[in-house]
Amino acid sequence: MTRIFGHANYDFIGYRRKAFIITLVLLAVGLIDLAIRPITYSIEFTGGTQYGFTVPTGTPVNVGAVRAGLDAVGLPGAEITSFGTNEYLVTARTAVKGADADNTSKTSAAITGALDNVLGAGKWTKGQAQLVGPKVGGELRSKAFLAVFLSFFAVLAYLAYRFEWRFGVAAVLATAHDIILTICFISIVKMEVSLVVVAAVLSMVGYSLNDTIIIFDRVRENLHKHRRDELTSILNRSINETLPRSVLTHATTLSTLGALAIFGGQVIRPFALVMFFGVFTGTFSSIFIAPPVLRYIEQRWPGIDNRGVKVKPKAMPGTV
């Protein structure tokens, strides 16, 4: 891979207008879909009933069969979590047909019937059943958004400290692009937003930022090495120099995520799919969004040229 891309000299910055057009089209499609079909939140965010049960040690439990049994009694999308070797927790919506929104007793009865059908009556032991209110779900949702929001400030502060504020703004804008596109992707494929999906989005943010920081770090090095070069040339050189690493890293990551999406099962599949899309959009933004935005910022608020780097001034209206 190093031999193939070791001497790459692609004009990535030259494709910035086409990249921006592609981004705007994807954003428009995604935002229209979001406006038409709001995101569906999982039980953790909307509230439901938690129902614990245990089986004798060593007794195998087919989680897929239990989930199918819950679907059959009107509890689709129930979460099943295992603890140790014989303890399980079912989290299901309270909206059983014919029950009130907060009717835990009817939901518990439905779960009991499903477990009797799948595991067999008397072959499991009922644990505690309790209501998870929508208020708790609302707090979880607020904290999830707050975590993403605070990550922006943390990144901006870090990049402003390590590089310059210009780098930080470019990285944050590129990451915001990734998050919005990923949310649009979740809406388009009708994926339910759960804590697993939120974890995938936060992981994607870290992955994308890491990719952008690696390129910006090479930009900073080249700014010192090639003080008399034009900024566009330095940006292209930096992206090309990190291209072998990018191709290897993204190819191996996509291979792993693809395997998880296909063979990982229903629980891990949403995480793998969101990360799979996030790797694509993160790679795209770190090459075609962040460096051109940095170039634009340097044109409007020159800073690096004061150290000798040439920055082509922004063309004025009516001039060639």
Side-chain angles (χ1 to χ4, degrees), residues 144-174:
F145 283 118
L146 183 63
V148 175
F149 189 67
L150 290 179
S151 68
F152 276 166
F153 282 97
V155 169
L156 185 59
Y158 169 74
L159 291 178
Y161 170 75
R162 183 170 179 180
F163 301 103
E164 287 186 54
W165 68 267
R166 297 168 180 79
F167 288 79
V169 171
V172 167
L173 288 176

Side-chain angles (χ1 to χ4, degrees), residues 152 155-175 209 212-224 231 234-235 238 289-291 293-295 297-298 301 303-305 307 309:
F152 276 166
V155 169
L156 185 59
Y158 169 74
L159 291 178
Y161 170 75
R162 183 170 179 180
F163 301 103
E164 287 186 54
W165 68 267
R166 297 168 180 79
F167 288 79
V169 171
V172 167
L173 288 176
T175 307
L209 277 173
T212 302
I213 288 173
I214 287 173
I215 293 177
F216 277 1
D217 198 39
R218 187 59 60 92
V219 171
R220 186 181 61 169
E221 292 177 8
N222 286 329
L223 285 172
H224 291 285
L231 180 59
I234 292 176
L235 293 173
S238 302
I289 301 295
V293 169
L294 177 63
R295 178 179 176 275
I297 293 174
E298 285 296 335
W301 298 280
I304 296 174
D305 55 341
R307 296 196 296 269
V309 176

Side-chain angles (χ1 to χ4, degrees), residues 27 66 68 76 78 80-82 112-113 121 125 152 157 231 245 282-283 290 298:
L27 283 174
V66 174
I80 303 173
T81 309
S82 62
T112 300
T125 304
F152 276 166
L231 180 59
R245 171 263 170 201
T283 305
E298 285 296 335

